[in-house]
Amino acid sequence: MKNIYSNIFSFNKKILKKSVANLKKGNVIGLPTETVYGLGGNAYSKVAIQKIYSLKNRPKKNPLIVHYLNYRDADKDVIFNRDFYKLYKKFCPGPITFVLKKKSRSKIQSLVTAKLNTVAIRFPSHKTTRSVLKNLNFPLAMPSANLSSGISPVNALDVAEEFKKKIKIIINSGNSKIGIESTVVSLIGKPKILRPGIIEAKTIKKFLKISNNKISSKIISPGMLKKHYSPGIPVLLNKKKAAKNCALVTFGGNYKDKINNFNLSKKSDLKEAASNLYKTFRKIKKQGFKKIYVVKIPNLGAGIAINDRLKRAAN
Ligand code: AMP
Ligand code: MG
């Protein structure tokens, strides 16, 4: 990746020290995770959290996910339960976020949780972000590092293009392996999937009962906002071909290589397709196409998470 941005850095001891110093001062930085790149700041610092909301232009009613190294660090902020321990043991660190009750003595800023008495917590597996967390005595509130309602960044250059020089440090660790946001599961009362992800409901169901209730219209999770994950140009779903001057996002081996065809996975691998989704949308937008047509994506496995994002992108 050609680096024309002076705020993108490879990870080493020097940049670790600089990142930690910045975070301790209440600054926010761009960090890689296995899902997408995040905009991280001290979850206990009002100044840092205000910076996150204002940089992203994020509505204040959309709470942020708080990131920890391990459950011991999270213990001071949230109330664990048996469902949490089951899933933690199985999937953490990894691409899954848990919504739990906040402890009354927690130092998490009320802005982080949009004044709710619940917190969404995650334990990222990415080595770089784990080394940063290891050197902090506070957790990181970290939404995806993009302007609100847009698509998540999957590499350092994407982050730089979103915020330009407004953040001092973006740690470069190549492309995020998973490429879409974490599965969000509420563990308050009967467990519920709030946002599908690479860890599927089907897999989680092996360990606990999940409520199939259609989630109420009340926004309990902002990732559920109808318009979200938008590439900034119209997205049309379940198409077989694209109109003139428009891009066609395809899946599987049945499509010819054409300049306006963008294949998410020639071998019909839905995980690969998920990891290529946002990258492909950004590429299409950069090439100046006016609309994105998308073929039907199978609604199983990682396809469930892909279709969730596509539906909102098309809204
Ligand atoms: P992102 O902006 O990609 O980091 O997404 C954050 C996700 O975490 C959104 O889908 C939110 O719904 C979810 N979230 C954060 N805090 C809470 C909370 N207290 N209750 C429910 N969902 C939450
Ligand atoms: Mg986001």
Side-chain angles (χ1 to χ4, degrees):
M1 180 170 60
K2 215 171 105 198
N3 180 6
I4 54 158
Y5 289 95
S6 55
N7 55 347
I8 296 182
F9 300 94
S10 302
F11 193 58
N12 55 37
K13 272 193 187 147
K14 201 173 133 197
I15 204 68
L16 170 65
K17 226 173 132 185
K18 210 169 147 184
S19 300
V20 168
N22 265 273
L23 291 164
K24 285 187 174 164
K25 269 195 297 200
N27 286 335
V28 300
I29 67 170
L31 288 161
T33 84
E34 68 277 20
T35 57
V36 300
Y37 273 61
L39 186 64
N42 180 353
Y44 298 155
S45 154
K46 193 168 178 187
V47 174
I49 302 310
Q50 278 171 338
K51 279 182 194 162
I52 291 178
Y53 277 93
S54 89
L55 276 166
K56 280 183 63 84
N57 196 18
R58 182 174 175 109
K60 293 263 161 60
K61 62 171 191 279
N62 286 6
L64 309 174
I65 298 174
V66 182
H67 294 68
Y68 297 87
L69 190 64
N70 54 43
Y71 77 95
R72 279 182 296 271
D73 290 348
D75 184 42
K76 54 187 175 300
D77 292 321
V78 298
I79 301 168
F80 298 139
N81 55 33
R82 274 166 65 188
D83 291 338
F84 168 77
Y85 287 117
K86 277 188 206 160
L87 297 186
Y88 181 89
K89 230 163 95 185
K90 197 64 209 165
F91 300 112
C92 293
I96 184 163
T97 297
F98 309 102
V99 175
L100 290 164
K101 283 231 170 78
K102 189 166 89 168
K103 280 189 176 163
S104 56
R105 62 169 187 277
S106 160
K107 287 193 283 184
I108 291 178
Q109 285 294 317
S110 63
L111 200 52
V112 168
T113 60
K115 295 192 176 143
L116 299 168
N117 59 357
T118 58
V119 199
I121 64 166
R122 183 163 104 80
F123 308 89
S125 66
H126 198 289
K127 261 199 192 149
T128 302
T129 294
R130 291 185 69 75
S131 339
V132 173
L133 284 167
K134 244 176 238 172
N135 284 277
L136 299 174
N137 55 358
F138 50 81
L140 289 176
M142 187 157 63
S144 51
N146 56 280
L147 299 174
S148 188
S149 89
I151 53 177
S152 297
V154 293
N155 59 51
L157 196 57
D158 292 349
V159 180
E161 284 172 357
E162 294 278 337
F163 300 114
K164 308 289 187 292
K165 296 282 169 60
K166 288 183 199 154
I167 47 179
K168 283 196 198 143
I169 301 173
I170 302 167
I171 301 178
N172 175 17
S173 184
N175 285 313
S176 288
K177 229 164 127 189
I178 293 172
I180 56 168
E181 306 80 1
S182 60
T183 305
V184 179
V185 48
S186 166
L187 298 177
I188 294 168
K190 206 163 176 206
K192 228 190 257 130
I193 305 282
L194 302 182
R195 174 172 73 185
I198 277 305
I199 296 180
E200 300 166 39
K202 204 174 82 185
T203 316
I204 295 174
K205 273 182 189 156
K206 288 183 192 155
F207 306 95
L208 37 110
K209 274 205 181 120
I210 301 178
S211 148
N212 286 325
N213 282 355
K214 270 260 182 311
I215 296 133
S216 70
S217 57
K218 205 174 89 200
I219 296 169
I220 46 174
S221 207
M224 288 153 48
L225 287 175
K226 276 196 174 143
K227 188 183 153 74
H228 203 149
Y229 315 118
S230 160
I233 51 175
V235 175
L236 296 98
L237 304 183
N238 301 323
K239 298 294 176 190
K240 292 212 167 84
K241 54 184 192 227
K244 217 176 146 192
N245 301 325
C246 297
L248 182 69
V249 172
T250 62
F251 174 79
N254 293 332
Y255 297 89
K256 283 195 196 115
D257 289 329
K258 289 207 291 196
I259 52 160
N260 67 328
N261 275 7
F262 297 83
N263 204 317
L264 293 178
S265 171
K266 285 193 173 172
K267 54 180 198 239
S268 300
D269 177 337
L270 286 161
K271 278 195 176 163
E272 180 182 52
S275 76
N276 282 326
L277 183 67
Y278 294 146
K279 223 175 3 188
T280 303
F281 275 14
R282 278 183 196 268
K283 189 152 101 188
I284 289 170
K285 178 116 189 269
K286 267 189 203 161
Q287 291 185 14
F289 289 100
K290 296 286 176 267
K291 284 183 189 172
I292 304 177
Y293 286 63
V294 188
V295 303
K296 197 176 170 108
I297 307 291
N299 202 39
L300 47 100
I304 295 171
I306 296 175
N307 283 317
D308 168 75
R309 307 308 190 271
L310 284 175
K311 231 190 299 168
R312 291 173 217 283
N315 210 284

